[in-house]
Amino acid sequence: VQLVESGGGLVQAGGSLRLSCAASGNIFSIYSMGWYRQAPGKQRDLVARITRGGNTNYADSVKGRFTISRDDAKNTVYLQMNNLKPEDTAVYYCNAFVMIKREDYWGQGTQVTVSS
């Protein structure tokens, strides 16, 4: 499984960004896809995830502001981020989880910077 992210950038507080993650390879083995983020000096944390069945879950800090969705025809997952805050600043990583192997796959990461 290969993941390619796009859509990061610099935005002012209150603004919006949309991240995209295109999957290729053995996509039929993917159980869930999601977004994680890592700020400098901090651990990588889950932001949002969507399963093959369409179930979603979000970090409490982004509920009501971020929305994860997918386009199966394009093998792409999106993260719509609204009302961004400076504390959302981080490198955002796309993740795919293959349950049968219990393996995680990661994209290269995309920087999101929110200025106050």
Side-chain angles (χ1 to χ4, degrees):
V1 176
Q2 294 80 45
L3 304 172
V4 178
E5 302 137 338
S6 61
L10 172 64
V11 65
Q12 288 188 330
S16 299
L17 284 173
R18 189 177 79 157
L19 305 182
S20 301
C21 175
S24 61
N26 190 11
I27 60 172
F28 299 103
S29 66
I30 296 173
Y31 171 75
S32 67
M33 290 185 67
W35 292 92
Y36 287 69
R37 66 187 181 188
Q38 187 168 21
K42 296 187 176 181
Q43 67 182 20
R44 189 176 297 186
D45 291 324
L46 175 69
V47 176
R49 181 173 56 194
I50 185 166
T51 68
R52 180 188 296 274
N55 295 317
T56 58
N57 61 292
Y58 296 89
D60 288 342
S61 60
V62 307
K63 285 180 181 178
R65 300 189 297 123
F66 291 11
T67 302
I68 190 169
S69 62
R70 68 182 191 213
D71 184 334
D72 291 338
K74 296 181 178 180
N75 300 321
T76 299
V77 170
Y78 304 97
L79 184 69
Q80 178 66 43
M81 304 185 293
N82 298 327
N83 190 22
L84 282 160
K85 303 176 180 180
E87 51 264 42
D88 295 318
T89 295
V91 178
Y92 283 69
Y93 294 91
C94 181
N95 167 271
F97 178 64
V98 176
M99 181 171 282
I100 194 169
K101 293 185 176 181
R102 303 200 69 80
E103 287 183 349
D104 285 292
Y105 296 83
W106 298 94
Q108 78 281 6
T110 185
Q111 178 71 45
V112 171
T113 303
V114 184
S115 63
S116 58

